[in-house]
Amino acid sequence: TAVTDANGVAATGGWTVGAGSNTLTATVQGAGTILGNPVTFTATGVAPAFNIEVRFVVPTTPSRQAAFTAAATKWESVIYGDLPDVVVNRNSVCGVSSAVGTVDDVLIFAVLDSIDGPGKILGQAGPCMVRSGSPRLPFIGVMEFDTADVAGLEASGQFALVIEHEMGHVLGYGTIWGSLLADPVSSNNPSADPHFVGAQTLPAFDRSGGSTYTASAKVPVENTGASGTVNAHWRESVFSNELMTGFINRGANPLSVVTVASMGDLGYQVNYAGSDPYVVGVAPAGPAGGQAFWMGDDILHRPIEVVDAAGRTVGLLPPP
């Protein structure tokens, strides 16, 4: 039993579903004749089947391994559908010398090495192979982190969030958007208004507090910054501390339902309930200090191979 709020909305504390078909019926009592009263909701319970394997190119500490595992677990909670296996009989991929074999569902090579010294590029990531079928989703990618910055990230408690952010790029966020990105910034169009036009993402943005947003086209994508920031993150001035803006902020950086919906638009089967609580442009109370780490130029710019189920390269995607 629930009472409606000032907007006439009543909510339950949650609905736990089992495997297979589930139904829930809602009835308004004592309200006379109401069209659609009662109303029945249906849901199909599906076991999670999406697997992210992280393979360290150079051995690292248990605490750092745990940070990667936590990030993979988070993404596995919002992407749940199994993807076709791909067999890759190669000893070197993504510039990494490592035998691959059968990939289910995504293999990520993690590299902790020197990039450009402290305080510059924290990390870079992206897919290097996508499936040839439809949708063309990544199955191998790489994440590189500058060892000159990792200690500072660990000390601030933000290293796991940076990993989670970069893992999103490997899975396709900002790297394989293609036609889902409208009006991108370019040298010929520097004052463009880039925005994400996915059919799931727009209503998710509206439900998350963006219904009255009119400052630009929806859903706003970053229109400033270096080539690895612009066109590839949510717009910081709108999304504030959301995980997939171009900054990792102090305090919480929620992986919102807007980001989860964007992964659904890429072709993944997604679980909205795995997202973090988030309201567009409203940062939760937390440590002061504003923007903590700029994720500048954090996308790897390299051609992405299109590979069939037998591991044969059948084409290339342009670098993100």
Side-chain angles (χ1 to χ4, degrees):
T1 301
V3 178
T4 57
D5 61 18
N7 296 315
V9 176
T12 71
W15 178 22
T16 301
V17 302
S21 178
N22 299 261
T23 60
L24 180 149
T25 300
T27 304
V28 179
Q29 301 288 351
T33 302
I34 299 176
L35 184 65
N37 182 36
V39 62
T40 299
F41 302 90
T42 62
T44 301
V46 179
F50 185 73
N51 177 61
I52 299 172
E53 177 190 351
V54 178
R55 189 177 300 178
F56 295 95
V57 176
V58 178
T60 189
T61 65
S63 63
R64 290 176 179 175
Q65 291 181 35
F68 281 88
T69 299
T73 298
K74 179 61 178 179
W75 281 108
E76 289 170 345
S77 75
V78 298
I79 300 175
Y80 69 89
D82 188 42
L83 296 174
D85 293 355
V86 183
V87 179
V88 180
N89 293 316
R90 306 186 195 181
N91 293 320
S92 178
V93 294
C94 302
V96 176
S97 296
S98 176
V100 179
T102 301
V103 178
D104 170 42
D105 292 280
V106 177
L107 169 64
I108 300 176
F109 291 105
V111 182
L112 282 78
D113 203 350
S114 177
I115 297 178
D116 60 359
K120 299 176 184 177
I121 296 175
L122 304 180
Q124 293 182 318
C128 54
M129 291 186 177
V130 299
R131 290 168 171 84
S132 61
S134 180
R136 288 183 169 180
L137 292 174
F139 68 95
I140 297 182
V142 64
M143 302 168 63
E144 300 176 351
F145 294 92
D146 194 335
T147 49
D149 293 301
V150 168
L153 291 169
E154 290 175 317
S156 69
Q158 304 297 79
F159 185 44
L161 284 170
V162 172
I163 295 171
E164 190 177 324
H165 176 105
E166 298 300 340
M167 196 170 287
H169 288 314
V170 173
L171 296 174
Y173 178 94
T175 52
I176 59 167
W177 278 354
S179 62
L180 291 170
L181 177 66
D183 198 20
V185 172
S186 67
S187 58
N188 295 326
N189 191 14
S191 59
D193 180 22
H195 54 285
F196 191 87
V197 295
Q200 294 187 49
T201 307
L202 178 56
F205 178 76
D206 286 345
R207 289 194 304 269
S208 299
S211 60
T212 59
Y213 177 80
T214 58
S216 65
K218 299 178 184 179
V219 173
V221 170
E222 191 57 72
N223 59 351
T224 62
S227 60
T229 303
V230 68
N231 296 331
H233 299 83
W234 298 135
R235 197 169 301 179
E236 173 75 14
S237 61
V238 178
F239 279 84
S240 184
N241 69 319
E242 209 275 350
L243 178 71
M244 298 309 296
T245 68
F247 294 86
I248 294 296
N249 296 70
R250 299 190 187 280
N253 289 259
L255 196 166
S256 72
V257 70
V258 187
T259 294
V260 177
S262 75
M263 303 305 279
D265 283 322
L266 288 180
Y268 289 105
Q269 290 179 297
V270 295
N271 170 32
Y272 286 6
S275 62
D276 299 322
Y278 173 75
V279 177
V280 172
V282 179
Q291 297 163 349
F293 298 104
W294 175 45
M295 304 301 295
D297 201 19
D298 71 328
I299 291 178
L300 287 173
H301 298 279
R302 63 173 61 181
I304 300 171
E305 294 182 55
V306 180
V307 179
D308 67 14
R312 295 171 298 212
T313 298
V314 295
L316 292 174
L317 296 181

